[in-house]
Every structure is written in structure tokens, then in C-alpha cells.
Amino acid sequence: MRHMMSPLDFSVDELESMMDLAVQIENDPEKYAHVCDGKKIATLFYEPSTRTRLSFETAMLNLGGSVIGFSSASSSSATKGESVADTIRVVGTFADIAAIRHPKEGAPLVASQVSPIPVINAGDGGHQHPTQTLTDLFTIRSLRGKIHDLTIGLCGDLKFGRTVHSLITALIRYPNIRFVLISPEELRLPSYIREDVLDRNHIAYKEVTRLEDAIPELDILYMTRVQKERFFNEEDYVRMKDFYILDKEKMDLAKEDMYVLHPLPRVNEIAVEVDSDPRAAYFRQVRYGMYIREALIMTLLEVSVC
Ligand code: NCD
């Protein structure tokens, strides 16, 4: 039985097959509408979410399955002191697969170690968010036709942004990817990613503070929100929150074929005026996320069309 804790749990070839399957689902959803008939996904969300939880639930419904779960820790037995390990043992009796989001780094991993059913990490603290990464990889492949020979700008809260940490870890396995890390000094990429992932693997990257300086050379601009909930004090958050605002003026400096991605939710970091730019791909990205989650569920449950 396989789980998905990190994008590295699957080889580049396996991810490629998963993306191929997502394309087939996108092109012919009817064909896949009953592959998970009778199966259930449990979404165990101890932290807020709109997209990720609804995306998993819609993905399962699209495949003919059904959904159980909770959307906040306060409505679960966590408030009574139940451990994640016990919860997954219980939920494994009811469901065939589970997606877990938790504020504590490593909580989904602990669950997977005792789980009778496949577990998907739907975001653990500031650590990893592998299904957002699948979404991001699939979006890049769908829009650019490739995941190699690209200059990728990551902008915003690179310190606490788990989507950034997961994406970098996944992208270094593809040929000739260059990173431009755009952040204020206080929100730089943590050293466990900069040194242990980028430096150790001799990946080309540079760190800059100004978005205007970086934007002309980018093929993809990955914007992120300042992660309010991971700050220790409100003052620091307020000082950082509007550090970057991507607007029309900055978009004018970008390549004609540079796409803007964002895991969402957006706060102020992308002006609404950018939404109508054909290069703004963040709402399309949500759709890709649903198809790739369908492909992931099928893969972990080992189901296929007859
Ligand atoms: C991201 C997350 O939860 O890490 N959102 C998401 O899953 N689409 C990004 C964020 O919250 O900023």
C-alpha cells in the first residue's frame, strides 16, 4: 500500500503517468465517472482549507465515490485529546483512502505509519503540500508543454510557504530548471531547502528582493501569500503582508508567454486587474488540481477503467 507524503514518494516517470492519466480524465470525464463506485474518501482537515478539501471531495465524487470527514479540528475528537494515529485507525474502518491536513509538521506521516488505508498529506504545517505540487507540475506541463529548461520565479513568503518547499523539492528532478527566489530578507527560503536541496544538488538559483528586477527573465512566476497563521507576532505580519503586489505595470515587464501561478488563497499580492491578463493562470490551476487529484486517487486505490 502506498501513501503520498512528499512529491518524492513517486518517481518522475510515475508522476508523468499520473499526469497522462489526468489528461485522459480531463478529455473524457464520462469514461472515469464510475471507476470508484462504492469507494469513500475521508477528508480529515485539522486546519482551514477551501480548495484542497473541496478539490479532493469533488475529485472522488467525479470518480463515482463518496465522501466523509471533518473540516476543522474543533469538530473532531482531537478536542477530546485523540491522537491522529488513533483517528486514522478508526477512519480506516469507514473509508478506503484519507487526505489529512494538519498544522503539525509530520502528523500525516505518523498517521500513514499505522494506517490501514492509503493516506495523502494535504498539507502539514510549513513543511510540505505534495498535492498542490502535483497541481503545479501538471499546470506547468499543460501550459508550457514541458517541465524542463525553465526559469521559475518563486515570490513572497518563501520561509513559511509549504507549497514553495514542496515545489522546489519536486522540480529539481527535472533538467535545467533555474530558480529566482524573490522574497524580503525576513521571509527567505529556509536553509534546510536552500542548502540541503538546492546547494547539495547544484541547482542554479539566485535570491533577489525586488520583483521588478526578476520578472523580465521568468517563464513562470509563482506568487504566494504571506502565511499569517505561521507568524509569531501580528506586527511582523503587518509589516510583510503587502511587500509584493503584482500589478499591470509589473506584468508589462514580463515575457509574453510567462504564466502566473498561485496556489490561492490570494490576499493582496496579485491585483485583481491582473486576472484578465491571459497569462494569469491561477484559476485554471484550480481545475488542473482537480484532475490530478482524480488521477492520484485512482493510482493509490489501484483502480483503472476496464
Ligand atoms: C496553500 C496552503 O494551504 O498551503 N493553499 C492551498 O492549499 N491551495 C497556500 C496558502 O494557504 O497560502
Side-chain angles (χ1 to χ4, degrees), residues 78-90:
T79 53
K80 301 180 189 168
E82 184 170 57
S83 69
V84 177
D86 280 5
T87 303
I88 194 68
R89 283 198 188 96
V90 171

Side-chain angles (χ1 to χ4, degrees), residues 51-52 101 129 132 162-163 225 227 229 262-265:
R51 256 152 307 277
T52 306
R101 168 169 291 192
H129 192 347
Q132 182 63 47
R162 58 189 171 200
T163 62
R225 150 185 92 86
Q227 304 281 299
E229 64 275 37
H262 191 309
L264 302 178

Side-chain angles (χ1 to χ4, degrees), residues 50-261:
T50 305
R51 256 152 307 277
T52 306
R53 186 172 59 81
L54 296 184
S55 180
F56 269 116
E57 296 184 355
T58 309
M60 189 49 139
L61 296 172
N62 287 349
L63 297 172
S66 46
V67 174
I68 59 169
F70 52 82
S71 56
S72 76
S74 59
S75 64
S76 79
S77 279
T79 53
K80 301 180 189 168
E82 184 170 57
S83 69
V84 177
D86 280 5
T87 303
I88 194 68
R89 283 198 188 96
V90 171
V91 168
T93 319
F94 308 137
D96 303 278
I97 186 165
I100 303 183
R101 168 169 291 192
H102 204 284
K104 279 207 189 108
E105 283 84 359
L109 178 66
V110 170
S112 72
Q113 286 162 346
V114 298
S115 176
I117 57 174
V119 174
I120 300 166
N121 176 4
D124 61 330
H127 184 221
Q128 291 268 339
H129 192 347
T131 62
Q132 182 63 47
T133 297
L134 288 184
T135 302
D136 302 337
L137 294 176
F138 186 43
T139 304
I140 294 171
R141 197 185 88 158
S142 301
L143 297 175
R144 300 295 307 227
K146 62 176 186 181
I147 316 179
H148 53 82
D149 300 290
L150 293 169
T151 300
I152 303 201
L154 301 157
C155 177
D157 187 348
L158 308 189
K159 181 178 180 184
F160 296 116
R162 58 189 171 200
T163 62
V164 167
H165 306 160
S166 271
L167 184 57
I168 291 176
T169 312
L171 276 172
I172 65 157
R173 298 193 292 178
Y174 295 85
N176 201 20
I177 297 288
R178 258 184 93 246
F179 294 102
V180 183
L181 307 172
I182 311 155
S183 77
E185 179 64 30
E186 289 97 321
L187 298 179
R188 278 174 73 196
L189 197 67
S191 59
Y192 80 89
I193 304 280
R194 201 176 46 245
E195 283 150 31
D196 300 352
V197 179
L198 294 175
D199 292 341
R200 184 162 301 164
N201 293 289
H202 311 290
I203 305 298
Y205 72 94
K206 64 179 177 189
E207 295 185 281
V208 302
T209 308
R210 278 165 50 90
L211 177 55
E212 297 86 319
D213 297 343
I215 205 166
E217 62 178 308
L218 304 179
D219 299 309
I220 299 284
L221 171 58
Y222 193 88
M223 293 296 294
T224 62
R225 150 185 92 86
V226 177
Q227 304 281 299
K228 183 177 182 192
E229 64 275 37
R230 310 216 193 280
F231 276 75
F232 293 111
N233 71 67
E234 175 84 15
E235 248 166 72
D236 287 346
Y237 169 69
V238 170
R239 210 157 35 79
M240 290 291 119
K241 73 180 174 56
D242 292 330
F243 202 93
Y244 296 108
I245 298 182
L246 179 65
D247 55 13
K248 215 170 154 303
E249 210 176 305
K250 293 195 189 77
M251 286 300 285
D252 288 343
L253 304 170
K255 290 182 188 171
E256 281 293 301
D257 60 351
M258 180 202 77
Y259 285 103
V260 183
L261 273 58

Side-chain angles (χ1 to χ4, degrees), residues 253-289:
L253 304 170
K255 290 182 188 171
E256 281 293 301
D257 60 351
M258 180 202 77
Y259 285 103
V260 183
L261 273 58
H262 191 309
L264 302 178
R266 149 179 67 185
V267 187
N268 288 326
E269 58 281 355
I270 304 179
V272 174
E273 65 185 16
V274 176
D275 297 359
S276 55
D277 189 305
R279 296 168 292 180
Y282 29 92
F283 291 117
R284 274 175 277 172
Q285 196 177 346
V286 176
R287 259 199 113 65
Y288 291 124

